[in-house]
Amino acid sequence: MKTKKRGTLFVLSGPSGVGKGTLRARALKDIEGLTYSVSCTTRPPRPGDREGVDYRFVSEEEFTRMIEKGLFLEYARVHGGPRYGTLREDVERELDAGQDVLLEIDVQGARQIRAIVPDAVMIFLLPPSDEELERRLRERGTETEAELSARMASARQELKEARTYDRVLVNDDLDKASAALRTMIMDFREGRSQR
Ligand code: ADP
Ligand code: 5GP
């Protein structure tokens, strides 16, 4: 019997506001057969957030219980606020079924994945400049002024980690970055590119 090839785990990470969520949404629309693992979070839903689609919204207590049960492949407290985690079972099930899986996670989570899934393809998203990163965060308008400064300070540290990733992608023009991400994923998938 022919056994199905195990899928590849792709990790998209980078500083807050660089465009991870935007590029992830495009990748899922553009790339057939790419699945996304819906994360758990302790942050409250924002207007428009859909339970089970954007996140699984859980309480701090529930999140702690899930950690104790070993349900997370990785988890982190992001920007000193809410916790976020990737469900191990969801990812394993899809990879076992031969599906490629995309995770869009912060750099602490990405570090954990690199250590436990050595064949994951790690992609770091870079802003064209610090100024543009700040402009995007401001434009998104989801952070207070204090949160914005904290995220910019974290970003300066996080950007130093870019060189430890398999691929780096600059999110300057959205259409170009989105096409480049698609090419990157397709090249791995079809064996034209190796880590
Ligand atoms: P992240 O998920 O990394 O925090 P988002 O995807 O929320 O970032 O993007 C942050 C903001 O920047 C959003 O308002 C988004 O619309 C905008 N954005 C994303 N990519 C680009 C781009 N290439 N050019 C200009 N604005 C962008
Ligand atoms: P937001 O609350 O704006 O949707 O996401 C905040 C940050 O949490 C983003 O940087 C996002 O990539 C990250 N994030 C989302 N899901 C996960 C996850 O499961 N694990 C980790 N480590 N980070 C996550």
Side-chain angles (χ1 to χ4, degrees):
M1 200 179 75
K2 191 167 176 273
T3 49
K4 201 162 184 185
K5 189 173 162 282
R6 194 171 150 84
T8 302
L9 183 61
F10 293 94
V11 176
L12 184 63
S13 193
S16 179
V18 70
K20 300 184 294 298
T22 308
L23 276 171
R24 177 249 295 172
R26 286 198 169 208
L28 292 172
K29 204 149 55 71
D30 292 352
I31 308 172
E32 209 188 311
L34 184 68
T35 56
Y36 174 65
S37 166
V38 177
S39 296
C40 294
T41 183
T42 61
R43 84 152 161 75
R46 295 184 190 130
D49 273 343
R50 294 153 299 170
E51 164 65 37
V53 177
D54 298 294
Y55 284 107
R56 292 168 191 161
F57 295 96
V58 301
S59 65
E60 280 286 342
E61 295 72 29
E62 219 170 326
F63 199 96
T64 302
R65 273 198 300 277
M66 292 170 87
I67 296 172
E68 286 164 2
K69 286 189 191 156
L71 300 187
F72 292 122
L73 188 59
E74 63 74 34
Y75 63 90
R77 191 176 289 284
V78 178
H79 308 299
R83 289 188 286 181
Y84 296 81
T86 304
L87 288 173
R88 184 189 301 278
E89 203 179 289
D90 286 4
V91 173
E92 291 299 332
R93 187 187 54 243
E94 296 296 335
L95 292 176
D96 284 347
Q99 291 285 331
D100 294 331
V101 178
L102 179 67
L103 301 183
E104 181 240 300
I105 58 178
D106 90 310
V107 293
Q108 306 169 74
R111 246 181 257 140
Q112 296 169 41
I113 297 287
R114 188 187 300 115
I116 56 180
V117 188
D119 57 355
V121 177
M122 311 295 298
I123 304 168
F124 194 93
L125 204 55
L126 276 178
S129 63
D130 283 9
E131 293 72 28
E132 174 62 11
L133 181 64
E134 187 166 345
R135 194 197 65 74
R136 286 183 193 172
L137 275 173
R138 281 187 190 283
E139 190 186 70
R140 189 173 68 181
T142 47
E143 281 81 29
T144 63
E145 200 57 34
E147 283 168 347
L148 216 134
S149 307
R151 286 183 188 218
M152 284 306 296
S154 304
R156 281 186 272 277
Q157 291 306 312
E158 291 166 356
L159 291 170
K160 293 181 187 157
E161 289 192 38
R163 71 176 80 91
T164 66
Y165 282 63
D166 299 310
R167 295 289 185 277
V168 169
L169 181 63
V170 180
N171 181 18
D172 192 345
D173 176 80
L174 185 55
D175 286 335
K176 283 191 189 142
S178 175
L181 179 61
R182 182 174 194 282
T183 302
M184 221 175 248
I185 291 176
M186 294 306 288
D187 282 353
F188 275 107
R189 184 185 266 182
E190 288 164 16
R192 286 187 294 269
S193 193
Q194 261 101 43
R195 293 177 54 250

